[in-house]
Amino acid sequence: MADKPWIFRTYAGHSTAKASNALYRENLSRGQTGLSVAFDLPTQTGYDSDDPKAKGEVGKVGVPVAHLGDMRMLFDGIPLSGMNTSMTINATAPWLLALYIAVAEEQGAARATLQGTTQNDIIKEYLARGTYIFPPTPSLRLTADTIAFTYRELPKWNPVNVCSYHLQEAGATPVQELSYALASAIAILDAVKNGGQVPASDIGRVFGRISFFVNAGIRFVTEMCKMRAFAELWDEIGRTRYGVTEAKNLLFRYGVQVNSLGLTEQQPENNVYRILLEMLAVTLSKNARARSVQLPAWNEALGLPRPWDQQWSLRAQQILALETDLLEFPDLFDGSPVIAAKVEELKREARTELSRIDEMGGALKAVETGYLKERLVEANAMRVAAIESGDQKVIGVNAYQESAESGLASGEAAVVTVDARAERDQIERLNAWRAKRDGKAVEKALADLSEAARGKTNIMPASIAAAKAGVTTGEWAGTLRAAFGEYRAPTGVASNPRLSNDETIGALREKTKALAKRLGRAPALLVAKPGLDGHSNGAEQIASRARDVGFAVVYEGIRLTPAEIAAQAREKKPHVIGLSILSGSHKELVKETLAELAKAGIKDTPVIVGGIIPPEDEAALKKSGVAGVYTPKDFNLNAIMGDMLEFAARDS
């Protein structure tokens, strides 16, 4: 008998809950078998849609969910008792789960029937994705609370999806992806084990509900071996560290989205083949096959994919699972000496790195000291350098760049754009929601939530009560901010340059020295990330390379307001200001930052912008006064450094 197919998903959500609900229904009607919800950045970072910090970010990279009404609208007509829903949410995971439970109960669904996953892996947020809010220790407490609540109340729910996906997106090697994800899982399990909410006899049940969300890159043989290594190491950790013996609890259960880092803006049609090969890495080996798969669309390096683009990715999964004979056979790789040797090599190196992290005091300590983040930035720098040099071939980027004109749609019509009215409409609905709710009930719910946060009570019951009382996302997160404080993670950018011997970098250093002589000091670069976008890989690589060629670099991490950037510029007096924005909010945030710089008297310093920016927006940004615009197609960092030296000389 053939195996059942994995769950078919596409990662989706944008603009408004109503628009996202229509998209979900359409995808389900086309054969998708589970939902994967993308939330916008204000929702992920605990702000209401009308918060000043949310300006320009509402509905851009996901759906805004500010209260129970939004969650109702998001799942309108979709029976949650029969749905498997994955929610990519971390710092605010307990809150979004509380809203989901409240909607399910309104539909008449029992908690025990609910199936799905909250990502809820906060450790990787400090390393790779940036949607953390609170310091590591209270954040881990929230994760432990969610686990302790769900394993009793929602026994089919995966309360944590330990996420190595974003580690690979940040440049992690297969060994780093293995070891850092497993170290995160160990930190979570230790927090649950030591927290007193779960008896020792139930640790096996908790272990069995931990799921993983992984990445699969283009080196698909190594990636497949990585998945086999993951499964074997997880079994080993369960048996030796936690005493788990039941086979079903020891299973390595994972979902996957294949690599988005490798999708190219140049010749984007080639991404179809990349996505297909990467899918094979997580489906070919039965003993390490994904339980759910979601694939990006061919044009995601250009912007939000259209429904047809998502359908095309869904069809790839359906053809592999339903037309081929893959699911009719046992594992194709058992007994292969080549595969066995590669798996053992990965396991050996991962164990070594896990021991190093353990000696530091575990994953939390390795986050706080900056060790893990620095290793990721270094690994990504090596990847970028290999592409620049041509040692790592990327078709259409540094090899076979010539191309016939694409027959696929291109330009503005090739992607979905979010209408600016969506943000205004969302804020109007939010104000209407606040106006009609019971103020006293909200006040009491927030007081109870604060008491739970400041004490040792599990956060979930108070969060569900707050959801039903009409509390908003910003109010829930604001209450916890008051209890726990906020946190700024290490940037991972080393204070000293790498001093590469690359010939081009050497020539750039000489130019920098000559310019420094003219300026009377080293040319200075301020790298800043305005808005709520936490994807800092590009900013980190620019900061690292600029430091390497001799710039004095100021980079203080993510989520700065335009006013804070202007204050830094006034204090540091940079010769060039670089803004990194990957959320699609570049028009709004650049306009606001330029206004704040002008207000601070900084009118002549060149401002450059990096992000996923379509050509028409690039022209508009340059018209507004931006000196240079860089997108993923500008992979040559040395060329960018050359431009920045020219901009710095112009500022002198």
Side-chain angles (χ1 to χ4, degrees), residues 265 302 412 584 586-587 590 594 607-634 643 647:
E265 184 179 354
L302 307 176
E412 198 171 351
H586 41 268
K587 288 191 289 189
V590 169
L594 291 175
V607 174
I608 60 175
V609 180
I612 299 174
I613 299 169
E616 58 273 17
D617 287 359
E618 180 176 341
L621 289 173
K622 286 182 175 176
K623 193 174 179 182
S624 72
V626 170
V629 175
Y630 299 91
T631 71
K633 72 178 181 301
D634 301 299
D643 290 351
F647 293 138

Side-chain angles (χ1 to χ4, degrees), residues 5 122 195 202 207 229 254 315 335 370 402-403 428 460 531 541 627 643:
I122 200 64
D202 283 351
F207 192 92
Y254 78 97
R315 293 295 182 253
E402 303 77 16
S403 175
E428 285 175 13
M460 284 304 302
Q541 293 308 309
D643 290 351

Side-chain angles (χ1 to χ4, degrees), residues 55-137:
K55 188 177 179 183
E57 303 276 23
V58 176
K60 284 286 171 63
V61 299
V63 58
V65 176
H67 48 74
L68 184 60
D70 284 341
M71 192 65 98
R72 264 187 213 132
M73 189 182 291
L74 186 63
F75 293 108
D76 182 44
I78 300 173
L80 298 185
S81 60
M83 184 50 57
N84 192 306
T85 305
S86 172
M87 296 194 283
T88 302
I89 196 74
N90 294 281
T92 54
W95 174 241
L96 272 296
L97 179 57
L99 290 170
Y100 188 86
I101 291 169
V103 168
E105 290 182 341
E106 285 182 350
Q107 291 184 357
R111 291 178 183 179
T113 66
L114 300 181
Q115 296 183 73
T117 302
T118 32
Q119 191 167 99
N120 207 15
D121 173 13
I122 200 64
I123 292 176
K124 68 94 179 47
E125 294 299 317
Y126 301 116
L127 300 177
R129 195 164 168 269
T131 65
Y132 57 83
I133 302 172
F134 317 113
T137 299

Side-chain angles (χ1 to χ4, degrees), residues 151-174:
Y151 101 97
R152 291 190 182 94
E153 299 275 336
L154 283 74
K156 295 181 179 179
W157 193 267
N158 300 319
V160 174
N161 200 216
V162 177
C163 183
S164 71
Y165 174 83
H166 294 99
L167 300 179
Q168 188 179 124
E169 295 291 295
T173 65

